[in-house]
Amino acid sequence: MKSFLIDSIHRIIAIVLLLSLISCKQDSIATEKATADKKATGHWRMVSITSGWTGKTDSSTEKIEMSINDQQQAIIYKNDTEVSRHQYVLEETGSGILRYKITQRSGSFSFDWPEEGYFKVSSKQLILDSTPTDGPAYTFERN
């Protein structure tokens, strides 16, 4: 009886660990293009901007939102008004890092939106990062 109880406890612990690993995997940063495209689809709210020059991170003072559809078209809204649309493509690098490149753009945007950079996305956060070239990194959270 004691052996059965110990085996049952071990099985429960193993199941809990397996489920926690699966949930962590689902929220990990996407490093493959197909997974990143799926995770990026949705509505995002900008929460911060990090300077590539100083490394300083500031909270977003304006209401900036981005909507991305499954054809990788992004629509940028400022205070609920559409200000820009762009089409982007993702490229996988040999080092497991994704890069994005804007291929078409329409509208105007009030600050320097990077044409290309690193693309990091999880189920809760999206980062457009051009800090390696001293550009900004824009961090968004899912709405």
Side-chain angles (χ1 to χ4, degrees):
M1 181 71 170
K2 185 176 179 182
S3 173
F4 175 75
L5 183 61
I6 292 173
D7 286 342
S8 296
I9 291 172
H10 283 127
R11 284 187 188 129
I12 291 170
I13 292 171
I15 290 170
V16 168
L17 288 174
L18 180 61
L19 290 174
S20 68
L21 286 174
I22 290 170
S23 67
C24 289
K25 178 79 171 152
Q26 290 174 346
D27 194 38
S28 63
I29 300 293
T31 57
E32 295 176 350
K33 181 185 177 323
T35 304
D37 284 337
K38 285 182 184 179
K39 283 188 175 185
T41 301
H43 301 281
W44 301 90
R45 174 181 48 88
M46 188 165 61
V47 293
S48 67
I49 302 170
T50 302
S51 168
W53 183 254
T54 65
K56 183 180 176 194
T57 299
D58 292 313
S59 297
S60 179
T61 58
E62 299 178 297
K63 182 181 177 188
I64 306 294
E65 296 177 311
M66 179 170 55
S67 178
I68 299 177
N69 68 21
D70 57 357
Q71 278 81 44
Q72 292 74 52
Q73 181 183 50
I75 303 171
I76 310 296
Y77 299 92
K78 180 178 176 183
N79 297 321
D80 299 320
T81 301
E82 182 180 321
V83 293
S84 178
R85 286 178 182 251
H86 62 264
Q87 187 72 39
Y88 68 90
V89 294
L90 292 180
E91 302 166 346
E92 292 182 43
T93 67
S95 59
I97 297 173
L98 289 171
R99 293 189 53 83
Y100 74 91
K101 184 173 187 169
I102 294 176
T103 58
Q104 297 175 357
R105 181 185 296 220
S106 64
S108 62
F109 202 42
S110 62
F111 49 83
D112 187 25
W113 197 259
E115 292 286 329
E116 59 184 66
Y118 296 112
F119 189 91
K120 302 170 189 166
V121 64
S122 69
S123 61
K124 297 176 184 177
Q125 191 175 67
L126 183 144
I127 301 171
L128 302 176
D129 185 358
S130 60
T131 57
T133 57
D134 292 334
Y138 297 99
T139 301
F140 293 83
E141 289 182 353
R142 191 171 296 278
N143 271 352

